[in-house]
């Protein structure tokens, strides 16, 4: 009995340890196979404090004339934007035509100048420009001092 | 080149544009639409923290006036109300004076200044001698063999504005062409006429104090071009100008 028992313990222990390791490995594999957690988009989740009923605005209901006016204005806007878009497209088309004509004339003149002209300009892009503001810059303006602390939450997958 | 020399002389001209620095005024429909959008947004929105604070404080004030008993707060303490904050912000806004959208150069109609018409594109016109006439043109220079037309245009810009110009030329290809035949007096077999190729560039820097501007120059918008350019030339130039 004294000789047999320690041998059994070793075998059983080894087997138990191996079984445990296998179980752990299976769990790890399962976790890895599961899809990675999505990073929550904070803009799409309304915080709960904004669903209180006392937050709802109390305004007078819209009159019939007001709704009529709005619908007519939307239609006018639709037409305005359509005309604006057509005009823009026509202008761009005219630009392209003028350029094609110029290139045709250039080709008649000399082939090498033409080839130089239709080569791609590498320095053009990336093209950066600050857009126009509402008022021009004020000379000698001293903007007030302040510190900006960035509190955006950064998620890692 | 093996081909016979063409009888057309080549010129490269540069149309230098100063891009607008302020936004154009809104059209009537755009203004009405903007107002409508603001109204709809207000209707669909809910009260913000600031507004709720304001409403609660108005309630408290009203209740305190109706019944003359002290609330939890001792009368000695001064409490900043939301309305006071709003008044303070309003005062601060009124103290700030932004730069005017219509500048002095606009009022004097000083066409040589770059500060005019800040919401439109301005382009450079110079007075050049062609044949025996002094004409207002986009700066142009004759093409020399061995250089591309783009470098001719750059040279034209440098001749009239000096070397320290920061301009972004939009591509290697010309944007437009003006072809004209010389008057019969100077026309020969080899020299029938000239072709002027136009290139466009955007002016990057606003300050041209470094530029040595020789002779007469003007910065004009597309509508004012008609005052200075000849009709045929103007027609061709208008084709490649957006406004």
């Amino acid at each position: 009995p004294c000789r047999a028992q320690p041998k059994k313990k070793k075998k059983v222990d080894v087997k138990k340890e191996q079984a445990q390791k296998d179980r752990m490995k299976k769990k790890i594999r399962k976790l890895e196979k599961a899809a990675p957690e999505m990073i929550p988009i904070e803009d799409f989740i309304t915080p709960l404090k904004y669903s209180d009923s006392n937050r709802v605005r109390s305004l007078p209901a819209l009159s019939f004339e007001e709704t009529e006016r709005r619908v007519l204005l939307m239609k006018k806007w639709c037409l305005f934007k359509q005309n604006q878009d057509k005009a823009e497209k026509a202008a761009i088309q005219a630009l392209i035509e003028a350029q094609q004509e110029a290139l045709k004339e250039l080709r008649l003149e000399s082939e090498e100048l033409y080839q130089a002209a239709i080569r791609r300009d590498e320095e053009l892009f990336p093209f950066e420009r600050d857009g126009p503001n509402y008022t021009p810059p004020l000379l000698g303006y001293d903007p007030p001092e302040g510190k900006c602390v960035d509190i955006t939450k950064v998620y890692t997958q | 080149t093996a081909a016979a020399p063409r009888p057309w002389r080549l010129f490269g001209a540069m149309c230098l544009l100063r891009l607008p620095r302020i936004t154009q005024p809104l059209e009537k429909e755009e203004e009405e639409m903007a107002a409508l959008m603001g109204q709809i947004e207000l209707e669909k929105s809910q009260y913000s923290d600031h507004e709720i604070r304001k409403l609660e404080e108005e309630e408290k004030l009203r209740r305190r006036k109706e019944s003359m008993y002290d609330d939890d707060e001792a009368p000695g303490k001064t409490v900043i109300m939301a309305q006071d904050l709003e008044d303070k912000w309003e005062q601060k806004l009124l103290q700030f004076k932004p730069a005017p959208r219509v500048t002095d150069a606009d009022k004097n109609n000083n066409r040589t200044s770059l500060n005019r018409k800040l919401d439109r594109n301005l382009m450079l016109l110079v007075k050049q001698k062609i044949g025996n006439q002094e004409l207002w043109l986009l700066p142009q220079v004759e093409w020399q063999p061995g250089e591309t037309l783009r470098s001719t245009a750059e040279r034209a810009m440098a001749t009239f504005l000096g070397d320290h110009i920061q301009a972004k030329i939009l591509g290697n290809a010309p944007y437009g062409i003006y072809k004209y035949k010389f008057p019969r007096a100077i026309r020969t077999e080899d020299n029938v006429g000239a072709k002027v190729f136009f290139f466009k560039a955007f002016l990057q820097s606003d300050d041209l104090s470094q530029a040595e501007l020789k002779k007469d120059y003007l910065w004009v918008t597309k509508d004012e071009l008609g005052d200075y350019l000849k009709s045929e030339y103007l027609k061709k130039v208008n084709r490649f100008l957006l406004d």
Side-chain angles (χ1 to χ4, degrees), chain A residues 50 55 70 101 133-134, chain B residues 23 43 46 49 101 239:
Chain A
Y50 292 131
R55 292 238 177 198
R70 285 187 184 186
E101 194 189 297
N133 301 314
Y134 186 65
Chain B
T23 49
E43 282 161 17
Q46 294 182 326
D49 293 339
R101 279 163 65 97
R239 282 181 73 191

Side-chain angles (χ1 to χ4, degrees), chain B residues 86-195:
Chain B
E86 279 195 13
D87 292 333
K88 205 168 70 169
W89 296 333
E90 190 72 38
Q91 287 291 316
K92 209 163 165 191
L93 178 65
L94 289 170
Q95 277 172 3
F96 171 70
K97 292 240 163 346
R101 279 163 65 97
V102 178
T103 56
D104 295 329
D106 265 325
K107 293 183 199 148
N108 301 336
N109 201 13
N110 175 14
R111 291 192 174 184
T112 54
S113 133
L114 263 185
N115 276 334
R116 202 170 71 94
K117 298 264 182 198
L118 290 173
D119 59 346
R120 311 281 302 280
N121 286 340
L122 286 182
M123 49 209 103
L124 183 66
L125 280 184
V126 280
K127 207 162 200 177
Q128 281 186 287
K129 196 156 171 158
I130 305 282
N132 49 2
Q133 280 178 313
E134 288 259 346
L135 296 172
W136 281 109
L137 299 169
L138 297 175
Q140 74 186 40
V141 141
E142 183 150 6
W143 170 77
Q144 311 278 356
E147 63 176 2
T148 60
L149 275 173
R150 179 182 162 154
S151 26
T152 322
E154 283 171 3
R155 199 157 52 88
M157 209 165 54
T159 349
F160 288 99
L161 293 178
D163 285 327
H164 305 278
I165 289 294
Q166 289 168 22
K168 186 109 192 183
I169 307 187
L170 305 173
N172 290 324
Y175 274 76
I177 178 171
Y178 175 58
K179 206 160 71 168
Y180 66 97
K181 293 195 170 154
F182 294 137
R184 280 177 206 281
I186 33 174
R187 210 186 292 185
T188 60
E189 270 301 312
D190 291 335
N191 225 353
V192 168
K195 287 188 182 175

Side-chain angles (χ1 to χ4, degrees), chain A residues 3-157:
Chain A
R3 269 187 294 155
Q5 274 171 355
K7 277 185 194 169
K8 273 187 207 167
K9 274 187 197 164
K10 278 188 201 166
K11 276 186 195 166
V12 167
D13 272 344
V14 165
K15 274 189 187 169
K16 268 190 189 169
E17 275 179 31
Q18 269 188 343
Q20 255 187 351
K21 275 186 195 168
D22 284 331
R23 265 179 269 151
M24 292 296 282
K25 276 183 193 166
K26 267 191 183 172
K27 277 187 193 165
I28 291 171
R29 253 180 275 157
K30 267 194 183 167
L31 282 174
E32 277 175 354
K33 268 190 200 170
E37 225 178 66
M38 295 282 144
I39 300 176
I41 305 175
E42 301 216 348
D43 286 335
F44 290 174
I45 312 168
T46 26
L48 289 169
K49 74 169 180 170
Y50 292 131
S51 17
D52 271 345
S53 58
N54 70 339
R55 292 238 177 198
V56 177
R57 225 173 260 273
S58 53
L59 292 163
L62 293 176
S63 65
F64 173 69
E65 285 95 16
E66 181 64 22
T67 38
E68 282 288 306
R69 181 195 79 108
R70 285 187 184 186
V71 165
L72 288 170
L73 185 60
M74 294 279 209
K75 291 192 177 179
K76 261 201 291 184
W77 176 250
C78 204
L79 197 64
F80 173 77
K81 269 298 185 190
Q82 191 184 37
N83 291 338
Q84 201 184 50
D85 189 51
K86 266 194 213 164
E88 273 180 23
K89 291 198 165 125
I92 293 178
Q93 196 58 36
L95 230 68
I96 293 178
E97 272 169 21
Q99 191 168 47
Q100 288 300 322
E101 194 189 297
L103 284 172
K104 211 169 59 175
E105 292 281 336
L106 183 58
R107 193 158 209 186
L108 287 178
E109 278 302 306
S110 103
E111 189 64 31
E112 64 173 74
L113 280 180
Y114 177 74
Q115 291 298 330
I118 58 176
R119 215 174 294 147
R120 191 185 287 193
D121 184 14
E122 303 296 336
E123 291 157 28
L124 187 55
F125 294 112
F127 179 72
E128 284 176 6
R129 169 174 134 74
D130 288 331
N133 301 314
Y134 186 65
T135 51
L138 194 60
L139 295 167
Y141 177 65
D142 201 15
E145 296 268 324
K147 207 166 60 156
C148 190
V149 181
D150 201 7
I151 49 169
T152 41
K153 291 191 192 158
V154 177
Y155 294 92
T156 44
Q157 216 168 25

